[in-house]
Amino acid sequence: MAITTDETKANDDDQVYQKGVKNLCENGVTKVPKKYILPEFDRADIVLQVDLTMPNLKLPVIDFSELQGPNRSEVLKSLTSACEKYGFFQVVNHGIPNNVISSMIDVSARFFELPIEVRSKYVSSDLTAPVRYGTSFNQNKDRVFCWRDFLKLVCHPSQDVLVHWPSYPTDMRRLAVTYAKEIKNLFVMLMEAILESLGLWGATMNKTEEVEKLIKQFQDGSQQMVVNCYPPCPEPHLTLGMPPHSDYGFLTLLLQDDVEGLQIQYKEKWVAVQPLASSFVVNVGDHLEIFSNGKYRSVLHRVLVNPAKSRISVASLHSLPFNSMVSPSPSLINKANPRRYKETDFACFLEYISSFEPKRKNFLESRKLL
Ligand code: OGA
Ligand code: NI
């Protein structure tokens, strides 16, 4: 049977969409193509103005420098309440130099300015590839595409992966490695505090073998950086930069430029996270929800797009080493608080996302015991 012109056009269009939204914009798109238009139901709650019923919702701010001083126990309490109530907080005074942060944003933006032919060299359908350029959320599975292009960089083990990272812009590897190391250290120190906030060690209790082992595993654990680029969108009420999802690791540390876009689910509403200069947005991932046996929550979040401005963010996702099992901490389970999750590892997550359209919290739901 001969292919009809309509089908040929649809196939051609699909090939263009696979090249990403930045490319569409560079080619002068003025309307959101059908491929990106969410079903009515999924876009009913896209409100582009700040939600007037919740004007002042500010994420809890954790002053990292205070954690090292006499107020540590107060800060740990704020950390507990942030992880229970929001699953999110912002960290300030974290000690990572401003130039390391601004260089990471700057080189990320310059990567997406490279010609599409250069960026496309890193396209891969292998979910474990050390570097992967792509678009949407999962471009092999998504029926509706998202208004986002990304570059994923696996950061560990560095001696194996770095040679695969982009060689352009020529300073990308150097700047991204410096950033990756700094953010990893911050992650490990935050996890040390979070383990303390869960009561696993503290001022009156030395680190147990479990805690010592976990900290070593975090130092040597998996780390992936996702550089996200959200180009301006001509009809931002029709699509999303990222659909509602939760992150799989223990913590995600998110660096964003000064453009708003991230929203988190709070009391069944979407609330905007206002970017705070020189801070990181940190969120609890599925692995920490499982490890804490549900005490700390891995919360759904999504990204809106903007009619005027391009937005860059760099998410750094951290967990245990690739093959380690994550399960509820034995110290947090007892008769009153029975085990609520099955164990899981990274391989199990990858298998799940390659066989299902990743929607909402399916993976975490699949790990819940009845
Ligand atoms: C992510 C994410 C939010 C953002 O990369 O998992 O949720 O603002 N990013 O880019
Ligand atoms: Ni996320």
Side-chain angles (χ1 to χ4, degrees):
M1 192 182 72
I3 295 185
T4 67
T5 338
D6 275 1
E7 274 177 54
T8 316
K9 178 167 182 336
N11 286 338
D12 287 352
D13 285 351
D14 271 347
Q15 281 187 10
V16 172
Y17 301 146
Q18 291 289 337
K19 290 189 181 172
V21 266
K22 182 98 193 337
N23 180 59
L24 277 185
C25 294
E26 284 160 359
N27 287 297
V29 81
T30 53
K31 284 179 102 43
V32 170
K34 213 161 147 205
K35 182 78 182 168
Y36 299 82
I37 301 183
L38 287 166
E40 194 88 45
F41 175 82
D42 290 327
R43 63 184 143 95
D45 59 2
I46 299 182
V47 180
L48 294 173
Q49 301 87 344
V50 177
D51 182 347
L52 293 177
T53 60
M54 290 226 177
N56 291 320
L57 190 115
K58 291 234 160 62
L59 281 184
V61 175
I62 300 295
D63 185 330
F64 188 76
S65 65
E66 291 270 300
L67 260 181
Q68 323 304 330
N71 294 333
R72 184 166 174 101
S73 68
E74 288 308 308
V75 184
L76 289 175
K77 279 188 206 142
S78 315
L79 205 50
T80 303
S81 113
C83 294
E84 286 178 351
K85 199 166 159 195
Y86 302 96
F88 271 82
F89 55 89
Q90 316 215 44
V91 185
V92 296
N93 293 330
H94 40 67
I96 301 187
N98 275 336
N99 69 321
V100 172
I101 293 177
S102 57
S103 300
M104 186 65 209
I105 292 277
D106 179 63
V107 76
S108 301
R110 284 188 282 119
F111 174 82
F112 286 100
E113 294 299 331
L114 293 171
I116 183 68
E117 296 73 32
V118 181
R119 280 177 279 152
S120 310
K121 276 203 282 191
Y122 304 101
V123 170
S124 167
S125 55
D126 173 8
L127 296 181
T128 61
V131 56
R132 200 154 65 83
Y133 176 74
T135 189
S136 192
F137 197 61
N138 179 350
Q139 76 203 74
N140 303 317
K141 292 252 149 50
D142 298 343
R143 260 165 299 165
V144 176
F145 268 24
C146 303
W147 204 262
R148 164 226 189 200
D149 296 339
F150 64 82
L151 177 72
K152 282 197 183 166
L153 300 170
V154 174
C155 305
H156 192 85
S158 58
Q159 68 276 18
D160 298 341
V161 291
L162 287 189
V163 290
H164 299 282
W165 284 15
S167 27
Y168 292 98
T170 49
D171 51 356
M172 176 139 207
R173 280 189 202 167
R174 179 173 59 82
L175 297 172
V177 167
T178 306
Y179 178 78
K181 281 190 189 146
E182 293 275 359
I183 204 82
K184 173 72 163 262
N185 282 339
L186 180 59
F187 160 73
V188 174
M189 285 189 282
L190 281 173
M191 275 314 303
E192 233 175 325
I194 282 181
L195 296 178
E196 186 174 351
S197 77
L198 285 167
L200 297 180
W201 71 283
T204 56
M205 183 183 155
N206 286 339
K207 290 189 179 120
T208 56
E209 225 171 88
E210 182 197 2
V211 171
E212 296 277 17
K213 184 172 167 211
L214 278 166
I215 292 171
K216 280 212 183 72
Q217 284 184 303
F218 288 133
Q219 280 159 345
D220 201 35
S222 64
Q223 178 182 9
Q224 233 191 63
M225 293 201 301
V226 188
V227 183
N228 297 303
C229 169
Y230 307 96
C233 175
E235 295 169 296
H237 52 290
L238 296 180
T239 190
L240 285 171
M242 233 193 259
H245 68 281
S246 63
D247 296 347
Y248 62 81
F250 270 77
L251 292 180
T252 301
L253 285 74
L254 180 79
L255 168 63
Q256 39 178 350
D257 63 14
D258 54 1
V259 181
E260 204 174 274
L262 176 63
Q263 294 192 324
I264 71 170
Q265 199 156 66
Y266 178 66
K267 297 193 173 166
E268 301 190 3
K269 279 185 163 234
W270 288 108
V271 293
V273 173
Q274 316 267 326
L276 193 65
S278 304
S279 75
F280 295 102
V281 172
V282 181
N283 64 295
V284 172
D286 295 351
H287 288 172
L288 180 51
E289 176 167 326
I290 292 173
F291 176 81
S292 70
N293 202 34
K295 183 172 160 69
Y296 289 174
R297 293 169 50 226
S298 172
V299 165
L300 286 178
H301 50 286
R302 68 178 189 181
V303 179
L304 300 191
V305 281
N306 187 299
K309 296 179 190 164
S310 183
R311 174 169 182 266
I312 292 279
S313 71
V314 183
S316 189
L317 288 81
H318 302 260
S319 189
L320 299 180
F322 193 74
N323 292 317
S324 304
M325 282 293 175
V326 179
S327 51
S329 165
S331 322
L332 299 174
I333 297 173
N334 51 46
K335 269 216 183 94
N337 189 14
R339 176 172 176 153
R340 293 174 55 198
Y341 300 84
K342 297 177 221 171
E343 63 180 5
T344 186
D345 67 359
F346 200 84
C348 158
F349 171 74
L350 285 181
E351 193 187 5
Y352 192 89
I353 55 168
S354 43
S355 52
F356 291 85
E357 185 174 4
K359 266 259 149 134
R360 311 230 155 194
K361 261 187 142 170
N362 280 350
F363 177 69
L364 190 52
E365 294 301 325
S366 78
R367 307 321 297 160
K368 280 190 180 157
L369 296 167
L370 290 178

